[in-house]
């Protein structure tokens, strides 16, 4: 179960060609920098600029960096006026450990697309719960752009179109929240944020 404190929703602006997309690492370290470079070139070929966090090039045990550095990278990307959208580079482990270091007031003042899945779901939920910003449960920079068909189509619809309702074969009149089930086990510990 999840208890959600509903508030006024903040919809991030859609992407337009020429915008800057930030690749942000806040969880596991990047194992394949060539894949990261491929994704950067892929988006640049579509007319976007890409800025990559310093944490994408570092390693601290299983993580891309210390908790403080990971949280600072996230806060800095939201504060950066040049960045229009943030796509997390990968999941892994440890995102939940930075929830208390995220500047939610800053995020509410500078809303933008924030996208990821798996371990990043903790941050998606926490940002939504503490700011009302609609986050995107989807694409990672190191796994999405070599995909074909539905994965890429879904990415472009979510990033460049206004938020749409989910199409179903039947009726559906509720909000949908993506999640990572392992995080539900830790809700009792981190309930203030998740």
């Amino acid at each position: 179960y999840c208890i959600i404190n509903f508030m006024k929703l903040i919809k991030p602006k859609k992407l337009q060609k020429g915008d800057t997309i930030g690749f942000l690492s806040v969880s596991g370290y990047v194992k394949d920098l060539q894949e990261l470079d491929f994704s950067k070139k892929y988006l640049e070929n579509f007319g976007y600029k890409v800025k990559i966090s310093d944490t994408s090039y570092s390693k601290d045990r299983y993580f891309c960096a210390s908790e403080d550095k990971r949280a600072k990278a996230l806060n800095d990307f939201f504060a950066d006026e040049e960045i229009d959208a943030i796509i997390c580079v990968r999941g892994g482990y440890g995102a939940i450990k930075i929830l208390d270091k995220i500047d939610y007031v800053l995020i509410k003042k500078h809303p933008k697309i924030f996208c990821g899945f798996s371990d990043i779901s903790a941050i998606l939920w926490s940002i939504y719960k503490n700011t009302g910003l609609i986050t995107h449960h989807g694409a990672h920079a190191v796994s999405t752009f070599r995909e074909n068909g539905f994965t890429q189509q879904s990415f472009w619809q979510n990033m460049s179109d206004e938020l749409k309702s989910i199409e179903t074969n039947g009726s559906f009149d509720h909000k949908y929240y993506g999640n990572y089930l392992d995080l539900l086990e830790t809700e009792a510990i981190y309930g203030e944020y998740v």
Side-chain angles (χ1 to χ4, degrees):
Y1 69 93
C2 285
I3 299 172
I4 302 168
N5 179 19
F6 290 100
M7 62 185 77
K8 183 179 178 185
L9 297 179
I10 302 170
K11 292 183 181 180
K13 77 174 187 74
K14 63 182 179 177
L15 276 178
Q16 298 178 349
K17 290 197 175 178
D19 282 351
T20 299
I21 298 171
F23 283 178
L24 175 67
S25 291
V26 289
S27 189
Y29 70 92
V30 180
K31 296 177 181 179
D32 188 349
L33 292 174
Q34 289 181 338
E35 193 69 22
L36 188 63
D37 188 55
F38 175 90
S39 298
K40 179 179 182 286
K41 288 175 182 171
Y42 173 89
L43 289 172
E44 288 172 343
N45 286 337
F46 275 91
Y48 296 94
K49 293 174 266 186
V50 176
K51 186 172 188 175
I52 301 175
S53 69
D54 291 342
T55 53
S56 297
Y57 299 105
S58 60
K59 181 180 177 184
D60 183 351
R61 297 176 295 140
Y62 305 109
F63 313 110
C64 61
S66 69
E67 292 172 20
D68 288 338
K69 287 180 181 175
R70 288 184 281 139
K72 183 179 185 315
L74 186 147
N75 292 331
D76 288 350
F77 265 38
F78 270 100
D80 190 332
E81 297 287 347
E82 292 181 1
I83 295 175
D84 301 288
I86 300 168
I87 300 175
C88 290
V89 173
R90 60 160 294 190
Y93 174 75
I96 205 161
K97 293 179 174 276
I98 69 168
L99 300 183
D100 62 338
K101 297 172 176 62
I102 294 173
D103 187 340
Y104 298 101
V105 174
L106 170 78
I107 291 172
K108 198 166 187 176
K109 288 180 182 175
H110 302 275
K112 56 187 74 174
I113 290 171
F114 185 81
C115 187
F117 68 95
S118 188
D119 188 49
I120 302 303
S121 299
I123 299 172
L124 299 175
W125 263 110
S126 194
I127 287 174
Y128 168 75
K129 182 178 178 184
N130 289 284
T131 69
L133 175 64
I134 296 171
T135 55
H136 294 263
H137 195 262
H140 277 162
V142 297
S143 62
T144 300
F145 303 110
R146 285 195 190 273
E147 300 284 338
N148 291 313
F150 179 78
T151 303
Q152 286 187 4
Q153 180 184 353
S154 175
F155 171 79
W156 288 114
Q157 283 179 340
N158 282 316
M159 297 301 123
S160 58
D161 293 341
E162 295 294 342
L163 294 171
K164 299 177 181 176
S165 32
I166 298 169
E167 293 182 19
T168 66
N169 290 331
S171 63
F172 190 87
D173 62 357
H174 300 283
K175 292 182 175 78
Y176 172 76
Y177 303 94
N179 208 336
Y180 181 47
L181 295 178
D182 283 353
L183 295 177
L184 298 179
E185 295 176 21
T186 59
E187 185 179 359
I189 300 170
Y190 294 95
E192 181 181 349
Y193 301 102
V194 181

